[in-house]
Amino acid sequence: MSMPTDHPLPPYQLAAGKLRKQIQEGKLKPGDRLPSSRELRTELGIANATVHSALRVLREEGLVYSVPNRGTYVSDPGTDSTGEFKIEHTAPAWYSAAKEQPAPGDEADPSPVTEALAQILEQMRQMAAEVAALKQHVATLEDKVHQLEQKDAR
């Protein structure tokens, strides 16, 4: 299955589309490992940089995640593009209600459980911000690698 050469879309978008369709149709299920870059390159008849660009698009869409030195896998609907479980960035209603009301018998201080939950929530927010920054850094590095690969191909 090679890519058409007369299509108006760039080859990496066509490749991403073919893989996206396999995921949407259930041919590739959550947790399945995608074929290696080499296999995709051969199967689709495209360059290595094009494969990486197609996989980057699917990662950005949250359909797949990559594990260094392991491969690229189909994401579970309950995970984000890194394969990690999604973390809500807003406090659930029960937490907000518990924080607003003092603990029984202690009108001045919040309960120790509420304090612990507040600390955990703050740590989760900090980690989510760090993950977002790292994702941006990885995307920048992937773009640079792609540019270098294209430069080397010339």
Side-chain angles (χ1 to χ4, degrees), residues 82-97:
T82 67
E84 297 296 321
F85 286 100
K86 292 179 182 174
I87 297 174
E88 293 297 323
H89 299 289
T90 57
W94 61 263
Y95 171 78
S96 299

Side-chain angles (χ1 to χ4, degrees), residues 64-81:
V64 300
Y65 64 96
S66 297
V67 178
N69 301 316
R70 297 281 185 229
T72 301
Y73 298 84
V74 177
S75 296
D76 186 289
T79 60
D80 65 15
S81 62

Side-chain angles (χ1 to χ4, degrees), residues 15-37:
K18 287 184 181 279
L19 292 169
R20 185 183 306 107
K21 184 176 179 184
Q22 290 180 2
I23 293 168
Q24 291 170 339
E25 292 176 348
K27 293 177 183 171
L28 290 169
K29 298 180 183 349
D32 284 354
R33 185 178 178 278
L34 269 62
S36 70
S37 294

